[in-house]
Short mmCIF file of all heavy atoms in Angstrom, two decimals:
data_model
loop_
_atom_site.label_atom_id
_atom_site.label_comp_id
_atom_site.label_asym_id
_atom_site.label_seq_id
_atom_site.Cartn_x
_atom_site.Cartn_y
_atom_site.Cartn_z
N TYR A 10 0.82 -1.21 0.00
CA TYR A 10 0.00 0.00 0.00
C TYR A 10 0.85 1.26 0.00
O TYR A 10 0.61 2.19 -0.78
CB TYR A 10 -0.92 -0.02 1.23
CG TYR A 10 -1.95 1.08 1.25
CD1 TYR A 10 -3.09 1.01 0.45
CD2 TYR A 10 -1.79 2.19 2.08
CE1 TYR A 10 -4.04 2.02 0.47
CE2 TYR A 10 -2.75 3.19 2.11
CZ TYR A 10 -3.87 3.11 1.30
OH TYR A 10 -4.80 4.11 1.32
N TYR A 11 1.85 1.30 0.88
CA TYR A 11 2.70 2.49 0.99
C TYR A 11 3.97 2.40 0.15
O TYR A 11 4.63 3.41 -0.08
CB TYR A 11 3.09 2.72 2.45
CG TYR A 11 1.93 3.01 3.37
CD1 TYR A 11 1.55 2.08 4.34
CD2 TYR A 11 1.22 4.20 3.30
CE1 TYR A 11 0.49 2.34 5.21
CE2 TYR A 11 0.16 4.47 4.15
CZ TYR A 11 -0.20 3.53 5.10
OH TYR A 11 -1.25 3.79 5.95
N GLY A 12 4.35 1.19 -0.24
CA GLY A 12 5.52 1.03 -1.10
C GLY A 12 6.85 0.96 -0.37
O GLY A 12 7.89 0.90 -1.01
N VAL A 13 6.85 0.97 0.96
CA VAL A 13 8.08 0.90 1.74
C VAL A 13 7.87 -0.07 2.90
O VAL A 13 6.75 -0.47 3.21
CB VAL A 13 8.51 2.29 2.27
CG1 VAL A 13 9.02 3.17 1.15
CG2 VAL A 13 7.36 2.96 3.02
N LEU A 14 8.97 -0.43 3.58
CA LEU A 14 8.92 -1.42 4.65
C LEU A 14 8.83 -0.81 6.04
O LEU A 14 8.68 -1.55 7.02
CB LEU A 14 10.17 -2.32 4.57
CG LEU A 14 10.33 -3.13 3.29
CD1 LEU A 14 11.68 -3.83 3.26
CD2 LEU A 14 9.19 -4.14 3.16
N LEU A 15 8.95 0.50 6.13
CA LEU A 15 8.93 1.17 7.42
C LEU A 15 8.00 2.38 7.35
O LEU A 15 7.79 2.94 6.27
CB LEU A 15 10.35 1.67 7.79
CG LEU A 15 11.43 0.61 8.00
CD1 LEU A 15 12.80 1.30 8.10
CD2 LEU A 15 11.16 -0.21 9.24
N PRO A 16 7.43 2.79 8.48
CA PRO A 16 6.70 4.06 8.48
C PRO A 16 7.64 5.20 8.15
O PRO A 16 8.84 5.14 8.44
CB PRO A 16 6.15 4.16 9.91
CG PRO A 16 6.99 3.24 10.73
CD PRO A 16 7.44 2.16 9.81
N LEU A 17 7.11 6.23 7.53
CA LEU A 17 7.97 7.33 7.07
C LEU A 17 8.79 7.97 8.18
O LEU A 17 9.95 8.34 7.94
CB LEU A 17 7.12 8.39 6.36
CG LEU A 17 6.62 8.03 4.96
CD1 LEU A 17 5.93 9.23 4.32
CD2 LEU A 17 7.75 7.54 4.07
N PRO A 18 8.28 8.14 9.42
CA PRO A 18 9.14 8.72 10.46
C PRO A 18 10.41 7.92 10.70
O PRO A 18 11.46 8.50 10.99
CB PRO A 18 8.23 8.73 11.70
CG PRO A 18 6.86 8.84 11.14
CD PRO A 18 6.88 8.02 9.88
N ALA A 19 10.34 6.59 10.59
CA ALA A 19 11.54 5.77 10.79
C ALA A 19 12.54 6.00 9.67
O ALA A 19 13.76 6.01 9.90
CB ALA A 19 11.16 4.29 10.86
N ILE A 20 12.05 6.21 8.44
CA ILE A 20 12.95 6.50 7.32
C ILE A 20 13.53 7.90 7.47
O ILE A 20 14.72 8.12 7.29
CB ILE A 20 12.19 6.36 5.98
CG1 ILE A 20 11.70 4.92 5.80
CG2 ILE A 20 13.07 6.77 4.81
CD1 ILE A 20 10.83 4.71 4.57
N ALA A 21 12.68 8.85 7.83
CA ALA A 21 13.14 10.24 7.96
C ALA A 21 14.19 10.38 9.05
O ALA A 21 15.14 11.16 8.92
CB ALA A 21 11.95 11.16 8.24
N LYS A 22 14.02 9.65 10.15
CA LYS A 22 14.94 9.76 11.28
C LYS A 22 16.15 8.84 11.15
O LYS A 22 17.00 8.82 12.04
CB LYS A 22 14.19 9.47 12.58
CG LYS A 22 13.10 10.48 12.88
CD LYS A 22 12.33 10.13 14.15
CE LYS A 22 11.21 11.13 14.41
NZ LYS A 22 10.44 10.82 15.64
N GLU A 23 16.22 8.09 10.02
CA GLU A 23 17.34 7.18 9.79
C GLU A 23 17.57 6.32 11.03
O GLU A 23 18.61 6.34 11.68
CB GLU A 23 18.61 7.95 9.42
CG GLU A 23 18.49 8.80 8.17
CD GLU A 23 18.35 7.96 6.90
OE1 GLU A 23 18.42 6.72 6.96
OE2 GLU A 23 18.15 8.56 5.82
N ALA A 24 16.53 5.50 11.35
CA ALA A 24 16.55 4.72 12.59
C ALA A 24 17.66 3.68 12.61
O ALA A 24 17.97 3.13 13.68
CB ALA A 24 15.19 4.03 12.77
N SER A 25 18.28 3.40 11.47
CA SER A 25 19.39 2.45 11.45
C SER A 25 20.74 3.14 11.62
O SER A 25 21.77 2.47 11.70
CB SER A 25 19.39 1.66 10.13
OG SER A 25 19.55 2.55 9.02
N GLY A 26 20.75 4.47 11.67
CA GLY A 26 22.01 5.21 11.82
C GLY A 26 22.46 5.26 13.27
O GLY A 26 21.84 4.69 14.17
N SER A 27 23.57 5.95 13.50
CA SER A 27 24.10 6.04 14.86
C SER A 27 24.69 7.43 15.11
O SER A 27 25.29 8.03 14.22
CB SER A 27 25.16 4.98 15.11
OG SER A 27 26.28 5.17 14.29
N ASP A 28 24.48 7.89 16.33
CA ASP A 28 25.06 9.15 16.81
C ASP A 28 25.18 9.02 18.32
O ASP A 28 24.36 9.55 19.07
CB ASP A 28 24.20 10.34 16.40
CG ASP A 28 24.90 11.68 16.67
OD1 ASP A 28 25.87 11.68 17.46
OD2 ASP A 28 24.48 12.70 16.11
N TRP A 29 26.20 8.28 18.76
CA TRP A 29 26.35 7.96 20.17
C TRP A 29 26.54 9.20 21.03
O TRP A 29 26.03 9.27 22.15
CB TRP A 29 27.54 7.02 20.36
CG TRP A 29 27.32 5.64 19.85
CD1 TRP A 29 27.70 5.14 18.63
CD2 TRP A 29 26.66 4.55 20.52
NE1 TRP A 29 27.31 3.82 18.50
CE2 TRP A 29 26.68 3.44 19.65
CE3 TRP A 29 26.06 4.43 21.77
CZ2 TRP A 29 26.12 2.21 20.01
CZ3 TRP A 29 25.50 3.21 22.12
CH2 TRP A 29 25.53 2.11 21.25
N ARG A 30 27.25 10.19 20.51
CA ARG A 30 27.51 11.38 21.32
C ARG A 30 26.23 12.13 21.62
O ARG A 30 25.97 12.49 22.77
CB ARG A 30 28.51 12.29 20.60
CG ARG A 30 28.83 13.57 21.36
CD ARG A 30 29.89 14.39 20.65
NE ARG A 30 31.16 13.67 20.59
CZ ARG A 30 32.27 14.16 20.04
NH1 ARG A 30 32.24 15.37 19.47
NH2 ARG A 30 33.37 13.45 20.02
N ARG A 31 25.43 12.36 20.60
CA ARG A 31 24.18 13.06 20.83
C ARG A 31 23.24 12.22 21.69
O ARG A 31 22.52 12.74 22.55
CB ARG A 31 23.51 13.39 19.49
CG ARG A 31 22.31 14.32 19.61
CD ARG A 31 21.66 14.55 18.26
NE ARG A 31 21.05 13.33 17.75
CZ ARG A 31 20.53 13.21 16.54
NH1 ARG A 31 20.57 14.22 15.71
NH2 ARG A 31 19.98 12.07 16.15
N GLY A 32 23.25 10.90 21.48
CA GLY A 32 22.43 10.02 22.30
C GLY A 32 22.85 10.04 23.75
O GLY A 32 22.00 9.98 24.66
N GLY A 33 24.15 10.13 23.99
CA GLY A 33 24.63 10.22 25.36
C GLY A 33 24.16 11.50 26.04
O GLY A 33 23.78 11.50 27.22
N ARG A 34 24.14 12.59 25.28
CA ARG A 34 23.65 13.85 25.84
C ARG A 34 22.14 13.76 26.13
O ARG A 34 21.65 14.35 27.09
CB ARG A 34 23.95 15.01 24.88
CG ARG A 34 25.43 15.36 24.78
CD ARG A 34 25.62 16.73 24.15
NE ARG A 34 25.17 16.76 22.77
CZ ARG A 34 25.94 16.55 21.71
NH1 ARG A 34 27.23 16.26 21.90
NH2 ARG A 34 25.46 16.62 20.50
N TYR A 35 21.44 13.03 25.28
CA TYR A 35 20.00 12.85 25.50
C TYR A 35 19.76 12.07 26.80
O TYR A 35 18.88 12.43 27.60
CB TYR A 35 19.39 12.10 24.32
CG TYR A 35 17.91 11.86 24.45
CD1 TYR A 35 17.00 12.90 24.33
CD2 TYR A 35 17.41 10.57 24.68
CE1 TYR A 35 15.64 12.69 24.44
CE2 TYR A 35 16.04 10.34 24.79
CZ TYR A 35 15.17 11.40 24.67
OH TYR A 35 13.82 11.19 24.79
N ALA A 36 20.54 11.01 27.01
CA ALA A 36 20.40 10.23 28.25
C ALA A 36 20.76 11.08 29.46
O ALA A 36 20.09 11.04 30.50
CB ALA A 36 21.27 8.98 28.18
N GLN A 37 21.81 11.88 29.32
CA GLN A 37 22.21 12.75 30.43
C GLN A 37 21.13 13.78 30.74
O GLN A 37 20.90 14.12 31.90
CB GLN A 37 23.53 13.44 30.09
CG GLN A 37 24.09 14.30 31.22
CD GLN A 37 25.39 14.98 30.83
OE1 GLN A 37 25.71 15.09 29.65
NE2 GLN A 37 26.15 15.42 31.82
N ASP A 38 20.46 14.27 29.70
CA ASP A 38 19.38 15.25 29.89
C ASP A 38 18.25 14.65 30.72
O ASP A 38 17.50 15.39 31.37
CB ASP A 38 18.87 15.69 28.51
CG ASP A 38 17.78 16.73 28.60
OD1 ASP A 38 18.10 17.90 28.85
OD2 ASP A 38 16.59 16.36 28.42
N PHE A 39 18.11 13.33 30.69
CA PHE A 39 17.09 12.65 31.48
C PHE A 39 17.58 12.31 32.89
O PHE A 39 16.90 12.56 33.89
CB PHE A 39 16.65 11.38 30.76
CG PHE A 39 15.61 10.57 31.49
CD1 PHE A 39 14.64 11.17 32.28
CD2 PHE A 39 15.58 9.20 31.37
CE1 PHE A 39 13.67 10.42 32.95
CE2 PHE A 39 14.63 8.43 32.03
CZ PHE A 39 13.67 9.05 32.82
N VAL A 40 18.78 11.78 32.99
CA VAL A 40 19.28 11.25 34.26
C VAL A 40 19.71 12.37 35.21
O VAL A 40 19.37 12.37 36.40
CB VAL A 40 20.44 10.27 34.02
CG1 VAL A 40 21.07 9.84 35.34
CG2 VAL A 40 19.95 9.06 33.23
N ALA A 41 20.46 13.34 34.69
CA ALA A 41 21.11 14.33 35.56
C ALA A 41 20.15 15.22 36.34
O ALA A 41 20.32 15.40 37.55
CB ALA A 41 22.08 15.17 34.73
N PRO A 42 19.10 15.81 35.72
CA PRO A 42 18.27 16.75 36.49
C PRO A 42 17.57 16.12 37.69
O PRO A 42 17.27 16.81 38.66
CB PRO A 42 17.25 17.24 35.45
CG PRO A 42 17.87 16.97 34.13
CD PRO A 42 18.69 15.73 34.32
N TYR A 43 17.30 14.82 37.61
CA TYR A 43 16.55 14.16 38.68
C TYR A 43 17.43 13.28 39.56
O TYR A 43 16.91 12.57 40.42
CB TYR A 43 15.42 13.31 38.07
CG TYR A 43 14.61 14.04 37.04
CD1 TYR A 43 14.67 13.69 35.69
CD2 TYR A 43 13.79 15.11 37.40
CE1 TYR A 43 13.93 14.37 34.74
CE2 TYR A 43 13.04 15.79 36.45
CZ TYR A 43 13.12 15.42 35.12
OH TYR A 43 12.40 16.10 34.18
N PHE A 44 18.75 13.31 39.33
CA PHE A 44 19.66 12.44 40.07
C PHE A 44 19.14 11.00 40.02
O PHE A 44 19.11 10.29 41.04
CB PHE A 44 19.82 12.91 41.52
CG PHE A 44 20.44 14.27 41.65
CD1 PHE A 44 19.64 15.41 41.72
CD2 PHE A 44 21.81 14.43 41.67
CE1 PHE A 44 20.20 16.68 41.82
CE2 PHE A 44 22.38 15.69 41.78
CZ PHE A 44 21.58 16.82 41.86
N LEU A 45 18.74 10.59 38.82
CA LEU A 45 18.08 9.30 38.65
C LEU A 45 19.00 8.13 39.00
O LEU A 45 18.52 7.03 39.31
CB LEU A 45 17.58 9.17 37.20
CG LEU A 45 16.70 7.98 36.85
CD1 LEU A 45 15.49 7.88 37.77
CD2 LEU A 45 16.26 8.07 35.39
N TRP A 46 20.29 8.36 38.95
CA TRP A 46 21.21 7.28 39.28
C TRP A 46 21.10 6.87 40.74
O TRP A 46 21.43 5.72 41.09
CB TRP A 46 22.65 7.71 38.96
CG TRP A 46 23.11 8.95 39.67
CD1 TRP A 46 22.97 10.24 39.25
CD2 TRP A 46 23.75 9.01 40.95
NE1 TRP A 46 23.49 11.11 40.17
CE2 TRP A 46 23.98 10.38 41.23
CE3 TRP A 46 24.17 8.06 41.87
CZ2 TRP A 46 24.61 10.81 42.39
CZ3 TRP A 46 24.79 8.48 43.04
CH2 TRP A 46 25.01 9.84 43.28
N LEU A 47 20.63 7.76 41.62
CA LEU A 47 20.55 7.43 43.04
C LEU A 47 19.58 6.27 43.32
O LEU A 47 19.98 5.26 43.93
CB LEU A 47 20.14 8.67 43.84
CG LEU A 47 21.23 9.72 44.07
CD1 LEU A 47 20.64 10.96 44.72
CD2 LEU A 47 22.34 9.15 44.94
N PRO A 48 18.31 6.34 42.90
CA PRO A 48 17.43 5.20 43.16
C PRO A 48 17.83 3.96 42.38
O PRO A 48 17.62 2.83 42.86
CB PRO A 48 16.05 5.71 42.73
CG PRO A 48 16.33 6.79 41.75
CD PRO A 48 17.59 7.45 42.23
N ILE A 49 18.41 4.14 41.20
CA ILE A 49 18.83 2.98 40.42
C ILE A 49 19.95 2.24 41.15
O ILE A 49 19.93 1.00 41.27
CB ILE A 49 19.27 3.41 39.01
CG1 ILE A 49 18.05 3.88 38.21
CG2 ILE A 49 19.96 2.26 38.29
CD1 ILE A 49 18.37 4.40 36.83
N VAL A 50 20.93 2.97 41.66
CA VAL A 50 22.01 2.34 42.43
C VAL A 50 21.45 1.65 43.67
O VAL A 50 21.85 0.52 44.01
CB VAL A 50 23.07 3.39 42.82
CG1 VAL A 50 24.03 2.82 43.86
CG2 VAL A 50 23.84 3.84 41.59
N ALA A 51 20.51 2.29 44.35
CA ALA A 51 19.92 1.69 45.54
C ALA A 51 19.20 0.39 45.22
O ALA A 51 19.34 -0.61 45.94
CB ALA A 51 18.96 2.68 46.20
N LEU A 52 18.44 0.37 44.13
CA LEU A 52 17.70 -0.84 43.77
C LEU A 52 18.64 -1.94 43.27
O LEU A 52 18.41 -3.12 43.55
CB LEU A 52 16.65 -0.50 42.71
CG LEU A 52 15.49 0.37 43.21
CD1 LEU A 52 14.58 0.76 42.06
CD2 LEU A 52 14.69 -0.35 44.29
N VAL A 53 19.68 -1.55 42.54
CA VAL A 53 20.67 -2.55 42.12
C VAL A 53 21.34 -3.17 43.34
O VAL A 53 21.56 -4.40 43.42
CB VAL A 53 21.71 -1.92 41.18
CG1 VAL A 53 22.90 -2.87 40.96
CG2 VAL A 53 21.08 -1.56 39.84
N ALA A 54 21.67 -2.34 44.33
CA ALA A 54 22.28 -2.87 45.55
C ALA A 54 21.32 -3.80 46.27
O ALA A 54 21.73 -4.86 46.78
CB ALA A 54 22.67 -1.70 46.46
N LEU A 55 20.04 -3.43 46.33
CA LEU A 55 19.05 -4.28 46.97
C LEU A 55 18.96 -5.65 46.30
O LEU A 55 18.98 -6.69 46.97
CB LEU A 55 17.68 -3.60 46.94
CG LEU A 55 16.48 -4.45 47.38
CD1 LEU A 55 16.63 -4.85 48.84
CD2 LEU A 55 15.17 -3.69 47.15
N VAL A 56 18.88 -5.63 44.97
CA VAL A 56 18.78 -6.89 44.24
C VAL A 56 20.05 -7.73 44.45
O VAL A 56 19.98 -8.95 44.67
CB VAL A 56 18.54 -6.62 42.74
CG1 VAL A 56 18.64 -7.92 41.95
CG2 VAL A 56 17.17 -5.98 42.54
#
């Protein structure tokens, strides 16, 4: 029907590509403001 194997957003965003540096900054943007590593470390220690 659409003529391609992926939805267009996946093609537009080049979902098979890589940009580790920018991805690392994205993860940091999530973890750092909330000190998310604190509960994760606590739960890992518990387990």
Side-chain angles (χ1 to χ4, degrees):
Y10 188 77
Y11 297 111
V13 288
L14 298 173
L15 297 169
L17 286 186
I20 297 175
K22 296 178 182 180
E23 300 292 356
S25 61
S27 64
D28 190 342
W29 289 96
R30 179 176 297 180
R31 189 182 67 187
R34 290 196 295 267
Y35 180 71
Q37 184 181 18
D38 182 77
F39 179 33
V40 174
Y43 312 111
F44 297 93
L45 188 55
W46 58 272
L47 284 173
I49 291 177
V50 168
L52 292 174
V53 169
L55 171 63
V56 172

